[in-house]
Amino acid sequence: MRFSTLVAALLPVGAALAQTTHTIKVGENGTLTYNPSSITANNGDTIEFQFLSKNHTVTQSTFASPCSNITDATGTVTGVDSGYQAVAADASSFPVWSITVNNASTPLWFYCRQAKHCQAGMVFAVNPTQDKTFDAFKTKAATSTAVDGSADASSGAAAGASGSGSAAAGGSAASTAAAGGASPATGTAAAGASGSTPSPSASTTGAPNGAGIVRAGASAGLLTLVGLSFGLLL
């Protein structure tokens, strides 16, 4: 009886510690999509992005400015960003980048920085709400004038923007990035991923996947140029 009581008492603890890995396919079958495009996640859950074609990013934004980077008052990018992940047509291995959810009470919004992919509907949401739905986010993205994460002329920059939850990222390079949220986080980013300045919300590190390790900072500008050059082919 005592043993049964002890087991029953421990079950809620085990349930609370349970974590889920959500797999998101990026550019599956050459499409401009994240599949699935919206998920519900809990604190501690990992979201793993598998880059399957072309050259895409997973970049954090806000509901108000779907296709713009989150930046601070100085213009420094503070949202998590996978960086451009180019995939050859005959690739047999694929980049993987992941984030860990730290504040499931607030939605997280993401998009692809490549060309006009965001406006074409390449957006992703974690824990959207009844007031801020995924469909509304996608509709806003379609009218955005932002290019490669720039400020949207119609809504202004996403600097200091609120409404972004807490996440952390995952793969092998020692880069760090962050997003506007409430609690600290850690994670990993895939090879070739670029990070940003750390913030209280998230951080990125990554492991190579058939490519060399690229660190954040000076490399970020190079990755942007490489990404844009690949974009001409898309």
Side-chain angles (χ1 to χ4, degrees):
M1 178 64 71
R2 290 180 180 177
F3 177 75
S4 300
T5 301
L6 177 61
V7 171
L10 290 177
L11 284 176
V13 176
L17 294 177
Q19 297 175 343
T20 300
T21 296
H22 307 267
T23 299
I24 311 300
K25 297 180 179 180
V26 182
E28 185 177 24
N29 297 321
T31 60
L32 302 184
T33 60
Y34 299 102
N35 183 26
S37 57
S38 178
I39 65 169
T40 298
N42 297 314
N43 287 343
D45 282 4
T46 296
I47 305 172
E48 181 180 271
F49 297 90
Q50 299 178 352
F51 294 82
L52 302 178
S53 71
K54 299 185 179 181
N55 192 20
H56 300 295
T57 76
V58 177
T59 306
Q60 191 175 14
S61 64
T62 64
F63 182 82
S65 299
C67 304
S68 298
N69 296 334
I70 298 177
T71 61
D72 62 18
T74 67
T76 300
V77 176
T78 56
V80 293
D81 187 3
S82 69
Y84 286 100
Q85 302 290 330
V87 178
D90 59 350
S92 58
S93 61
F94 302 90
V96 173
W97 184 79
S98 62
I99 64 174
T100 299
V101 177
N102 289 335
N103 183 6
S105 64
T106 306
L108 291 167
W109 311 100
F110 298 90
Y111 72 104
C112 177
R113 283 195 287 124
Q114 183 68 267
K116 290 286 186 178
H117 290 190
C118 179
Q119 288 84 346
M122 196 167 185
V123 292
F124 173 72
V126 180
N127 298 331
T129 66
Q130 289 185 343
D131 293 330
K132 296 181 178 180
T133 66
F134 172 76
D135 287 340
F137 179 62
K138 185 175 180 179
T139 298
K140 280 177 172 285
T143 61
S144 172
T145 59
V147 178
D148 191 35
S150 66
D152 194 319
S154 62
S155 60
S162 59
S164 298
S166 173
S172 133
S175 59
T176 53
S183 60
T186 58
T188 47
S194 69
S196 316
T197 302
S199 86
S201 304
S203 64
T204 64
T205 55
N209 187 354
I213 292 175
V214 180
R215 295 180 182 274
S219 302
L222 176 60
L223 286 169
T224 298
L225 292 176
V226 172
L228 290 175
S229 65
F230 272 101
L232 296 176
L233 303 176
L234 304 182

